[in-house]
Amino acid sequence: MKAHEESFEELEFMNGRMLIGYGMTVAVLLAAYLVELLKGNRTPGYVAVFSALLLAPLLLSFLIYRKEKGSMALRIVAAIGYEMLYAFVLWTSVSVLSFVYIIPMLVIFSLYQDKKLAMGTGIITLIINVVFIILNIGNCETRIRVP
């Protein structure tokens, strides 16, 4: 019984730390896109969709955490929500560097040391990237401009 209590407390701790990292990532991305909106590089509609995809999973994750701090579902909700944001950004971005948006969350998810979560997020990320490549090859587009 004591081992179960310790692992539950450990999961509560990891979930809390994941939410802190997730929240910081969301804050940085939201600030960056609001600056892009003010500079005129993004449309209000794009920023609204981006913000919804960014904030909704974080809010849902936070609500799950408030209800049950040791929830196993929390990491799944956060992972799926962020992967949806990543797909949107990668497939709609004008920057070739948008692929790096996934790196902070992959590092944050490593906190759990969960092989299934790592494999799942890795495979989904790979699929999103392959679709991106296929779409750009099919359109004969490249985002790298040579002066």
Side-chain angles (χ1 to χ4, degrees), residues 96-112:
V96 72
L97 296 177
S98 59
F99 73 92
V100 301
Y101 281 38
I102 196 67
I103 295 171
M105 289 308 287
L106 291 178
V107 170
I108 291 167
F109 291 141
S110 70
L111 171 73
Y112 290 106

Side-chain angles (χ1 to χ4, degrees), residues 37-134:
L37 176 66
L38 293 174
K39 289 167 55 177
N41 294 337
R42 300 277 182 220
T43 65
Y46 185 89
V47 174
V49 171
F50 174 82
S51 297
L53 288 171
L54 188 65
L55 295 171
L58 177 64
L59 179 61
L60 183 57
S61 297
F62 180 72
L63 291 173
I64 291 169
Y65 183 74
R66 284 197 54 186
K67 184 176 180 184
E68 183 185 348
K69 290 184 177 9
S71 173
M72 297 286 283
L74 179 63
R75 66 181 93 176
I76 304 303
V77 168
I80 291 171
Y82 198 82
E83 290 281 359
M84 289 171 40
L85 171 77
Y86 177 67
F88 173 76
V89 169
L90 187 65
W91 296 339
T92 62
S93 180
V94 294
S95 172
V96 72
L97 296 177
S98 59
F99 73 92
V100 301
Y101 281 38
I102 196 67
I103 295 171
M105 289 308 287
L106 291 178
V107 170
I108 291 167
F109 291 141
S110 70
L111 171 73
Y112 290 106
Q113 298 179 3
D114 181 343
K115 291 178 185 176
K116 288 181 181 178
L117 181 66
M119 287 296 293
T121 54
I123 289 169
I124 292 170
T125 300
L126 178 65
I127 291 168
I128 291 168
N129 284 305
V130 167
V131 169
F132 168 75
I133 292 167
I134 291 170

Side-chain angles (χ1 to χ4, degrees), residues 1-6:
M1 183 74 169
K2 182 143 175 100
H4 174 67
E5 289 174 11
E6 289 175 10

